[in-house]
Amino acid sequence: WRSQLESVVLFLLLLSTFILPYVSLLQPLGETMLAVKRELCYGNQTFVVGKNTQTQVILGYTTANERSRDLSAMELAVKEHKFSSAGDAARYIHFVPSGDFERERTVTMEQESMDFSVCME
C-alpha cells in the first residue's frame, strides 16, 4: 500500500512540474505573442509611410495589393489607414507614386510653400 501511495505522490509531483510552468509561463507568453502578432500583422499592410520633417506632411505609397492614447500624427495616420480596405481613400496620408516618394519626403518647406499660395490650419 505504501508503494502505491508513493507512486501516486511522485506522479502528482511530476504532473505539477509540467502543468505549473505551462500555466504560469508558457500560456501568458503565448497570449502576449498572439497579441503582438495581431497588432503588427493584421489589417491593411499594402502601404509604406514616411514623414517630411520640413513640411510635416505624412506621405505614403501603395505597395502590393495583397496582404485612445495620445498618438503622434504619423501613428494616427497609420492607425486610421491600416484596417481600411485597399481601395479606401486615406484620411491623413498623402499617397504618392513610389518614384516620387523620396523626393516628396525630403522637399523643403520653401519648396512646398511655392506649391501652395494659401495656408489653412
Side-chain angles (χ1 to χ4, degrees):
W1 194 85
R2 183 175 176 205
S3 65
Q4 290 176 344
L5 180 63
E6 187 177 319
S7 296
V8 169
V9 169
L10 288 175
F11 173 74
L12 292 175
L13 185 62
L14 181 64
L15 187 63
S16 67
T17 60
F18 290 118
I19 293 176
L20 286 176
Y22 176 80
V23 171
S24 64
L25 299 173
L26 291 177
Q27 190 176 19
L29 179 62
E31 290 171 1
T32 302
M33 291 170 65
L34 286 173
V36 169
K37 179 182 176 184
R38 279 190 292 275
E39 187 68 29
L40 296 177
C41 299
Y42 290 11
N44 182 5
Q45 296 182 6
T46 62
F47 63 102
V48 175
V49 177
K51 180 179 180 181
N52 182 319
T53 56
Q54 292 288 316
T55 62
Q56 301 297 313
V57 174
I58 298 168
L59 302 166
Y61 71 88
T62 303
T63 57
N65 287 332
E66 313 162 357
R67 297 206 248 177
S68 32
R69 58 182 177 88
D70 292 335
L71 300 174
S72 70
M74 185 177 291
E75 289 172 326
L76 178 62
V78 170
K79 183 178 180 183
E80 287 288 323
H81 192 71
K82 73 179 177 181
F83 291 115
S84 64
S85 299
D88 291 349
R91 287 182 60 183
Y92 300 111
I93 302 173
H94 174 66
F95 281 95
V96 295
S98 59
D100 297 338
F101 183 75
E102 189 60 27
R103 180 181 56 77
E104 288 288 330
R105 196 184 65 78
T106 57
V107 70
T108 65
M109 186 57 103
E110 182 181 358
Q111 294 167 326
E112 187 74 15
S113 67
M114 291 182 184
D115 292 341
F116 297 98
S117 58
V118 177
C119 181
M120 296 185 296
E121 292 187 23

